[in-house]
């Protein structure tokens, strides 16, 4: 009887992608997969990806719960609370009962849930005598800073609402780089996120397997420290193996919330090697009209080719308003799409650098493809990721905003020129090449993530049905 994993993602693009990659990897190790979403997310994914081969191998089901995909930050607190309730333990219990009643031969043998979906889930797993693994889709350091934050309060470093007592760059944990107070991942959403992060840590502490979409080599001191408290298993990068072969001929595009525009790949084929600036703000980054204008003018002023993902909701409240005459000016060297096949783009030889909002998937994809970054974070873990990219791994440069919070066109031009033309840029590009190899080695036979994944898979296969 094949092992059968029930996967429960947080229904946001940046969380569903790595969960799908994990699903795909488990399938290649002989697992049956049931992938659970809320009704609305499930329908949206199917609508945008009618013919994707992902669905041939993975059973997508939905819980009877209307939860629009989390691709906006509006009312985030209420939405997370309603999600945790709407797809909470009693719903999961029912889903397992239904699957098991229907499939005598293929009962669920384990549960893998996003860390945000684990609240109260251990009781359900125990009831059904199933192992539960938590899946953290970002850096171990993100989990660690949340996990130890109550301790930071007790040391008097943070106020009880998570705000640092001193507004200066601080080494909050000895195993982590010094961070600006604004880099702390809860500050964008205030006390709610701070408290939720602490609760999450308490909940996860008792779960034996905590899988991370990261790899030990990039944050070894944190992995070592946290492993004394929690079952830490970094298994990333979870990027499908065919993307890790430079001379590959075909790839699969993972399903996403939006229709992917693959025509840009032919456009990239026509560009010179290492010449194109790729710009994307993930699924949630938002620009003001003024900021969008500065970015457009900055791209125009670089005089270089660029591929820019301008989502229909990139600008708050209206369609993205590009400056008058911009499209005319950049017609011969600019390509604009509403959603790109990002993995294919980043692995294309014409890409020179990535202007990124520093969502963890984007950063890890960029590392794995050896692409240097210009960092433009917005919220959540993105500032922490930037600290690692810029200060620790030396894979990129920050783009700095002026006193009005705007990243001016000159800053964009300067960043691109340093990366492409200067001695510092050369060093960054060399580091990017080195880390690309380390990332790929982590998932090769005998690599650190390969070992962790195999430990996990072996343990799950040993479970009695
Ligand atoms: C969110 C948070 O913003 C991020 O900080 C957190 O780490 C994960 O959840 P998101 O904003 O969507 O994620 O960014 P990111 O983590 O980079 O994930 C975006 C995913 O969408 C990536 O896997 C990327 O490859 C994909 N993508 C993005 C596309 O396939 N096409 C695009 O055009 C843009």
């Amino acid at each position: 009887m094949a092992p059968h994993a029930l996967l429960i993602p947080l229904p946001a693009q940046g969380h569903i992608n790595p969960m799908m990659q994990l699903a795909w990897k488990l399938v290649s190790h002989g697992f049956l997969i049931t992938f659970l979403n809320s009704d609305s997310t499930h329908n949206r994914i199917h609508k945008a990806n009618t013919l994707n081969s992902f669905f041939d191998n993975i059973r997508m089901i939905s819980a009877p719960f209307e939860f629009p995909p989390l691709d906006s930050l509006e009312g985030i607190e209420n939405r997370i609370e309603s999600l945790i309730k709407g797809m909470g333990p009693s719903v999961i219990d029912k889903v397992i009962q239904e699957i098991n009643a229907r499939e005598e031969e293929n009962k669920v043998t384990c549960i893998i849930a996003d860390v945000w979906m684990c609240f109260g889930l251990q009781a359900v797993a125990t009831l059904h005598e199933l192992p539960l693994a938590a899946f953290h889709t970002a850096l171990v350091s993100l989990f660690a800073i949340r996990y130890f934050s109550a301790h930071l309060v007790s040391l008097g470093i943070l106020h009880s609402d998570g705000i640092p007592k001193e507004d200066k760059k601080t080494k909050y944990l000895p195993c982590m780089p010094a961070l600006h107070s604004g880099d702390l991942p809860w500050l964008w959403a205030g006390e709610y996120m701070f408290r939720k992060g602490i609760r999450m840590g308490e909940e996860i502490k008792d779960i034996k397997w905590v899988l991370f979409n990261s790899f030990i080599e990039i944050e070894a001191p944190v992995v070592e420290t946290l492993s004394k408290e929690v079952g830490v298993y970094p298994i990333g990068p979870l990027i499908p193996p065919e993307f890790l072969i430079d001379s590959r001929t075909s790839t699969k595009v993972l399903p996403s919330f939006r229709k992917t525009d693959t025509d840009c790949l032919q456009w990239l084929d026509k560009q010179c090697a290492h010449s194109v600036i790729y710009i994307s703000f993930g699924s949630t980054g938002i620009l003001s009209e003024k900021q969008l204008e500065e970015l457009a003018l900055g791209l125009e002023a670089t005089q270089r080719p660029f591929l820019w993902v301008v989502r229909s909701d990139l600008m708050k409240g209206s369609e993205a308003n590009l400056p008058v005459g911009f499209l005319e000016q950049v017609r011969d060297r600019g390509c604009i799409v509403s959603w790109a096949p990002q993995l294919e783009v980043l692995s294309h030889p014409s890409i020179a650098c990535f202007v990124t909002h520093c969502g963890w998937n984007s950063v890890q994809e960029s590392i794995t493809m050896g692409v240097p970054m210009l960092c433009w974070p917005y919220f959540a873990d993105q500032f922490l990721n930037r600290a690692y990219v810029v200060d620790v791994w030396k894979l990129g440069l920050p783009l700095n905003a002026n006193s009005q919070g705007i990243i001016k066109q000159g800053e964009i031009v300067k960043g691109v020129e340093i990366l492409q033309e200067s001695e510092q840029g050369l060093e960054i590009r060399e580091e990017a090449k080195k880390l690309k190899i380390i990332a790929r080695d982590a998932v090769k036979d005998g690599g650190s993530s390969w070992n962790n994944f195999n430990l996990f898979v072996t343990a799950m296969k040993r479970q009695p049905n």
Side-chain angles (χ1 to χ4, degrees), residues 12-15 17-18 21 137-138 142 256 260 278 280-285 309 311 337-343 346 356-363 365 379-382 385:
Q13 184 75 71
H15 290 246
N17 273 15
Q21 292 172 353
T137 56
L142 171 64
S256 63
T260 305
Y278 173 56
S280 163
F281 299 93
S283 57
T284 45
V309 180
R311 299 187 328 266
V337 293
S338 56
W339 191 252
Q342 182 161 302
L343 273 172
L346 285 172
T356 170
H357 73 315
C358 296
W360 175 243
N361 297 291
S362 292
V363 170
E365 288 160 10
F379 78 106
D381 57 337
Q382 297 161 8
N385 300 337

Side-chain angles (χ1 to χ4, degrees), residues 14-148:
H15 290 246
I16 286 200
N17 273 15
M19 190 65 104
M20 283 184 172
Q21 292 172 353
L22 175 59
W24 213 305
K25 195 157 173 155
L26 288 166
V27 166
S28 70
H29 281 73
F31 277 69
L32 293 175
I33 300 292
T34 299
F35 199 97
L36 177 69
N37 260 311
S38 64
D39 265 346
S40 28
T41 309
H42 176 83
N43 293 338
R44 182 162 169 190
I45 292 176
H46 272 279
K47 208 167 142 209
N49 308 272
T50 33
L51 290 174
N52 199 299
S53 62
F54 185 83
F55 304 127
D56 302 343
N57 297 297
I58 284 150
R59 193 173 328 151
M60 307 282 286
I61 62 165
S62 64
F65 171 60
E66 280 305 314
F67 183 82
L70 256 184
D71 55 5
S72 121
L73 302 177
E74 220 127 287
I76 188 89
E77 303 182 12
N78 291 338
R79 296 183 66 204
I80 289 186
E81 283 307 308
S82 85
L83 174 67
I84 289 169
K85 286 197 194 89
M87 281 179 65
S90 58
V91 174
I92 305 299
D93 176 30
K94 224 158 152 197
V95 167
I96 296 172
Q97 285 183 38
E98 281 171 14
I99 297 173
N100 288 351
R102 216 174 33 235
E103 310 204 25
E104 197 49 34
E105 291 299 301
N106 286 320
K107 290 186 175 170
V108 174
T109 61
C110 64
I111 309 170
I112 306 176
D114 191 287
V115 287
W116 288 101
M117 305 302 286
C118 280
F119 294 96
L121 207 52
Q122 183 62 66
V124 177
T126 307
L127 183 73
H128 289 276
E129 298 181 22
L130 296 172
L132 167 65
F135 181 40
H136 187 274
T137 56
L139 276 176
V140 179
S141 300
L142 171 64
F143 183 80
I145 191 86
R146 286 197 169 118
Y147 185 85
F148 291 113

Side-chain angles (χ1 to χ4, degrees), residues 194-208:
F194 179 63
R195 302 236 157 270
K196 209 72 205 170
I198 294 176
R199 276 271 299 109
M200 183 212 283
E202 289 162 356
E203 194 89 22
I204 300 299
K205 190 172 166 44
D206 297 327
I207 296 178
K208 184 172 174 200

